[in-house]
């Protein structure tokens, strides 16, 4: 008789004990290159069993998985959480298999990509018992995929989108902006005489130049826009947000300014320039062709540097660049003047100061209000010089007014963002105070929310120093922005100027008194000085006074006017 192998003899003595079966089973499971799990069929898929491989993978022990019911849902990557929990819920409901890829965050912060395959196990009556399956670590594959994607979509020299990805983004933008008035905006950028750089300095330096220009382009566009290198020295920017031709001009000018800055090379500073074609439209292929044609037209106007495909839009560009030139000249020629509007104390009922408001006496267009040139001065940086002039002029006028009235007179000066962020701003304030001999406490600097937007630590420090000088800080147009209250907390503001939109309708039947009262009460609670702007009638005056506003300004008390004109009026209370 041949010997029967021991394992198959089948006697009770040789049959492995249940413990032995469990051990063998565990050993087998723990040698698999994946994690085996059994989960409860509940909302957070709480764990019943997890194999030990989970620990090196995610840094949490088997015991932690078993004891913390919501561990799995907590570790899900926030971008994947909803999708994964919804899939689990679907499987529990339908008993269909689970097949998913998602990310979990390991204990040390690593992001681990997993493939999760699970099935619902049913009992003999078809009742669901639990979910069981395995998790496979696919992080390496995913990273390789990302790297491949990077290679397929981005230009290796500049890191910008490559031509293929640019086309995809352009098609997408065109689809989104299909119904917009202007469609999608596209800027086609070509460096001027890049061949000359390559020929003279060699291709390595040429590559450095392209790399640097790519970086500057990337930094000049808004976060949602796509900057791409189309090849050679050609770049493009897709304006994904809705834009007007004026906005596109703003982007083009910013790009030209950045591209035109000197580039440092081993052999000294190197200069480049570019020509930009701008087109708007709703068909991606036509757009690209038209922007390219416009770019060639731009090469013919190197003094402007950009051109639209639509010649009639070129007018926008030409007018704008003309206005900038006029503004520059106007500042040199002294075409600006300040009007002053009275600020009235409502208790004493007397003028306690003035706000300086700038006007441009344009040689051909006549007198222009600030709304027509301050934004341009701001964009071009010309506001820094103009603002310094305003500050000095207003402080000098305040000193004169103090003498004339024989009592302290306050002077409010509007400050724009570019001014405030300028490294010399503090020096400008000092200079204006010194040259006019005005007491710092008689000067108020008016800042709006948009002025304070994007203020960094340095700006906060500048404001603190100005405040320590004794100068008063006011938040202008209060309530028109999004975060007025947070600015009050962040900066050392003493005065709040309540915007005209809150006072305009208070005297009419459907006027919103509640909002105005709320702002005034808030101002009192924060111990701020309140100035109501835009008071035009005696009813408005009575209401803001009753609500407890200390000061007011508006046509009712006086329109902005020349000092010479006002001096003719009696020096008297309002
Ligand atoms: P703002 O600082 O809020 O100035 C008040 C504006 O409201 C002034 O317009 C003034 O003429 C107008 N106003 C005053 N009372 C009334 C009223 O009762 N009813 C109505 N409807 N309007 C009234 P303006 O002079 O056109 O100035 C507009 C804005 O331009 C100013 O708003 C200020 O933000 C800015 N601005 C003026 N001068 C300068 C300046 O020197 N530098 C800077 N950066 N901005 C300035
Ligand atoms: Mg103001
Ligand atoms: Mg205002």
């Amino acid at each position: 008789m041949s010997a029967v192998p021991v394992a198959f003899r089948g006697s009770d003595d040789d049959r492995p004990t249940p413990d032995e079966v469990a051990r063998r089973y565990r050993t087998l499971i723990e040698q698999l290159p994946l994690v085996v799990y059994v989960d409860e069929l509940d909302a957070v898929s709480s764990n019943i069993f997890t194999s030990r491989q989970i620990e090196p993978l995610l840094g949490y022990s088997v015991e932690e998985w078993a004891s913390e019911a919501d561990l799995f849902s907590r570790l899900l990557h926030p971008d994947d959480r909803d999708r994964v929990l919804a899939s689990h819920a679907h499987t529990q409901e339908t008993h269909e298999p689970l097949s998913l890829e998602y990310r979990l965050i390991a204990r040390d912060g690593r992001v681990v990509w997993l493939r999760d395959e699970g099935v619902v196990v049913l009992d003999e009556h078809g009742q669901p018992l639990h979910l069981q399956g395995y998790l496979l670590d696919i992080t390496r594959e995913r990273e390789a995929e990302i790297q491949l994607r990077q290679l397929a979509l981005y230009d290796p020299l500049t890191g910008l989108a490559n031509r293929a990805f640019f086309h995809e983004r352009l098609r997408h933008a065109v689809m989104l902006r299909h119904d917009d008035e202007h469609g999608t905006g596209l800027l086609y950028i070509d460096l001027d005489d890049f061949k000359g750089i390559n020929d003279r300095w060699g291709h390595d330096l040429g590559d450095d130049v392209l790399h640097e220009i790519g970086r500057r382009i990337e930094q000049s566009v808004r976060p949602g826009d796509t900057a791409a290198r189309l090849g050679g020295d050609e770049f493009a920017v897709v304006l994904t947000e809705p834009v007007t031709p004026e906005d596109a001009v703003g982007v083009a000018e910013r790009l030209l300014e950045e591209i035109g800055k000197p580039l440092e090379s081993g052999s000294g500073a190197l200069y480049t320039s570019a020509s930009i074609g701008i087109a708007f439209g709703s068909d991606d292929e036509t757009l690209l062709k038209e922007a390219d044609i416009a770019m060639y037209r731009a090469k013919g106007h190197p003094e402007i540097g950009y051109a639209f495909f639509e010649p009639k839009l070129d007018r926008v560009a030409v007018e704008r660049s003309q206005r900038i030139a006029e503004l520059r000249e106007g500042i040199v020629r002294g075409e600006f003047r300040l009007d002053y509007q009275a600020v009235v104390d409502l208790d004493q009922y007397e003028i306690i100061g003035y706000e300086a408001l700038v006007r441009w006496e344009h040689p051909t267009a006549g007198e222009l209000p600030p709304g027509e040139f301050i934004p341009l001065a701001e964009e071009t940086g010309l506001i820094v010089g103009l603002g310094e002039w305003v500050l000095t002029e207003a402080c000098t006028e305040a000193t004169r007014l103090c003498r004339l009235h024989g009592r302290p007179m306050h002077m409010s000066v509007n400050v724009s963002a570019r001014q405030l962020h300028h490294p010399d701003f503090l020096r400008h304030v000092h200079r204006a105070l010194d040259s006019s001999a005005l007491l710092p406490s008689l000067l108020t600097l008016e800042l709006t929310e948009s002025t304070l937007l994007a203020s960094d630590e340095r700006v906060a420090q500048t404001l603190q120093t100005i405040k320590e000088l004794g100068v008063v800080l006011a938040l202008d147009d209060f309530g028109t922005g999004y975060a007025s209250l947070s600015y009050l907390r962040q900066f050392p503001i003493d005065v709040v100027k309540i915007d005209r939109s809150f006072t305009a309708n208070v005297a009419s039947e459907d006027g919103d008194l509640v909002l105005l009262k709320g702002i005034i009460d808030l101002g009192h609670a924060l111990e701020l000085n309140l100035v109501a702007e835009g008071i035009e009638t005696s009813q408005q005056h009575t209401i803001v006074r009753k609500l407890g506003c200390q000061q007011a300004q508006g046509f009712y008390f006086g329109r902005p006017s020349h000092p010479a004109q006002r001096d003719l009026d009696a020096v008297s209370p309002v």
Side-chain angles (χ1 to χ4, degrees), residues 132-148:
Q132 94 184 13
Y134 68 86
L135 303 174
L136 189 63
D137 179 6
I138 54 163
T139 313
R140 272 234 217 113
E141 287 95 311
R142 276 296 180 137
E143 278 168 359
E145 248 172 60
I146 291 169
Q147 232 167 9
L148 267 180

Side-chain angles (χ1 to χ4, degrees), residues 371-512:
E372 291 204 18
F373 60 89
I374 292 282
L376 208 56
E378 171 81 24
E379 279 169 46
T380 52
L382 289 169
I383 191 71
V384 177
L386 180 61
E388 193 193 357
W389 174 81
V390 171
L391 199 59
T392 309
E393 183 74 10
C395 288
T396 309
E397 174 62 8
T399 309
R400 195 185 73 85
L401 285 168
C402 290
R403 280 205 204 104
L404 183 73
H405 292 262
R407 63 186 167 91
M409 274 288 163
H410 293 262
M411 182 56 71
S412 290
V413 178
N414 295 284
V415 174
S416 77
R418 237 0 224 268
Q419 260 180 290
L420 180 63
H421 286 79
H422 197 277
D424 288 339
F425 182 62
L426 191 58
R427 225 164 303 155
H428 293 173
V429 174
H430 271 294
R431 255 203 314 248
L433 288 170
D434 290 347
S435 70
S436 63
L438 183 71
L439 267 178
S441 58
L442 293 180
L443 174 65
T444 298
L445 296 181
E446 295 195 2
L447 312 158
T448 60
E449 262 187 58
S450 58
T451 313
L452 291 169
L453 203 78
S455 290
D456 51 16
E457 200 35 55
R458 197 176 54 78
V459 170
Q461 188 51 52
T462 305
L463 287 175
Q464 191 56 44
T465 312
I466 289 176
K467 165 108 180 176
E468 280 159 16
L469 280 179
V471 173
V472 181
L473 297 179
L475 190 56
D476 203 355
D477 305 343
F478 184 81
T480 52
Y482 296 105
S484 306
L485 283 178
S486 74
Y487 287 102
L488 291 182
R489 228 174 349 125
Q490 241 174 306
F491 301 101
I493 308 278
D494 320 270
V495 176
V496 155
K497 300 191 73 171
I498 305 169
D499 188 68
R500 183 147 51 89
S501 53
F502 296 99
T503 52
N505 295 319
V506 283
S508 69
E509 268 178 21
D510 53 354
D512 198 351

